[in-house]
Amino acid sequence: MERILTTKVIMHRAKSDKLSSITKLLLSTLDLTDISAIRQLPNLEIVTLSLNRVSTLRDFSFCPRITELYLRSNRIADISEVKYLVPLKRLRVLWLCGNPCADTPNYRLTVIRTLPSLVKLDDKEVTAKEREEAKKLNTDFEVDGLRKDVEEEKESVRRVADGENRNENVVSAVLLLLKELDGKSLEIVRRDIDRKLGKS
């Protein structure tokens, strides 16, 4: 059964009522399978999602400010999934041990080659020798198409967020106006609301 991460859970765990203000998120051992809500957190910097059932890294490509990403013991099977972390230019620490992809031959070198900004992979610092060896690997993943996809989806997320903000502004304006109305006017408004909701 799918366990979907919701924005409500995110705000509760982060103790924040605004998604854009969240920079740190601790979501280990929640049995999560769908974490796409993370795409709505543009300022996220530190993420802990160890011991869940996450199977793709794609959602993190929408969070370019991430510096530390902990995904120990999930279900990332394909080593090429690391291509989704290429847009994360600030990423310094990544934990993928305990995922099936970590059993791939040349796992460490492949990740280091794909993500040269890393200083620590799993429980070990990235060494200068590893960086040199990684350069010799022929494991470049296709990222050009990915960048286009990410930009298109970011624009889609932005449009949704803009729509939500407009709705919030309209509701605030209506509530302010209601304070100015007398009883008779409020009754007219109530009848109109009931009609729109199909209750009359």
Side-chain angles (χ1 to χ4, degrees):
M1 187 176 75
E2 279 204 352
R3 290 290 298 273
I4 300 172
L5 177 63
T6 64
T7 53
K8 184 177 179 181
V9 169
I10 289 173
M11 290 189 288
H12 173 72
R13 299 287 292 219
K15 295 180 173 57
S16 173
D17 59 355
K18 195 173 182 183
L19 293 174
S20 61
S21 68
I22 297 172
T23 59
K24 186 174 183 179
L25 200 54
L26 309 177
L27 296 167
S28 295
T29 64
L30 295 179
D31 208 29
L32 296 170
T33 57
D34 182 338
I35 58 165
S36 55
I38 277 190
R39 297 179 181 202
Q40 299 178 53
L41 307 175
N43 296 311
L44 201 55
E45 296 175 4
I46 300 173
V47 192
T48 299
L49 273 159
S50 296
L51 299 162
N52 282 288
R53 291 188 289 144
V54 177
S55 59
T56 181
L57 299 175
R58 184 178 181 88
D59 298 311
F60 298 106
S61 61
F62 296 86
C63 308
R65 294 178 180 270
I66 291 178
T67 59
E68 298 179 25
L69 181 55
Y70 301 91
L71 286 161
R72 184 173 54 86
S73 299
N74 273 276
R75 297 188 179 179
I76 313 295
D78 192 340
I79 191 63
S80 69
E81 285 284 321
V82 297
K83 69 185 178 185
Y84 293 120
L85 303 182
V86 170
L88 279 56
K89 302 303 182 187
R90 303 181 184 188
L91 186 63
R92 298 293 179 266
V93 178
L94 175 65
W95 282 64
L96 287 174
C97 61
N99 284 275
C101 67
D103 296 326
T104 304
N106 291 319
Y107 155 71
R108 276 187 68 85
L109 296 183
T110 299
V111 175
I112 292 167
R113 178 179 173 82
T114 308
L115 306 171
S117 65
L118 287 181
V119 296
K120 188 173 184 180
L121 176 57
D122 300 327
D123 58 343
K124 296 178 183 176
E125 302 286 331
V126 176
T127 66
K129 183 179 179 182
E130 284 179 314
R131 293 191 192 283
E132 287 303 311
E133 290 178 4
K135 288 177 184 176
K136 299 172 186 175
L137 283 184
N138 185 22
T139 55
D140 290 328
F141 302 118
E142 180 58 49
V143 295
D144 290 337
L146 165 67
R147 288 192 184 99
K148 183 179 178 184
D149 290 348
V150 168
E151 288 308 314
E152 287 176 354
E153 291 193 43
K154 276 183 181 175
E155 178 62 20
S156 176
V157 169
R158 187 190 63 75
R159 284 197 299 269
V160 169
D162 285 349
E164 290 174 351
N165 288 338
R166 280 195 295 273
N167 285 342
E168 288 177 8
N169 290 338
V170 170
V171 169
S172 297
V174 168
L175 291 175
L176 284 172
L177 288 171
L178 286 175
K179 292 178 181 177
E180 304 298 320
L181 299 179
D182 59 18
K184 186 177 179 182
S185 299
L186 286 171
E187 180 60 28
I188 293 170
V189 171
R190 187 188 65 78
R191 282 200 304 268
D192 194 49
I193 291 170
D194 285 347
R195 188 169 62 253
K196 285 184 185 287
L197 294 175
K199 293 181 179 178
S200 58

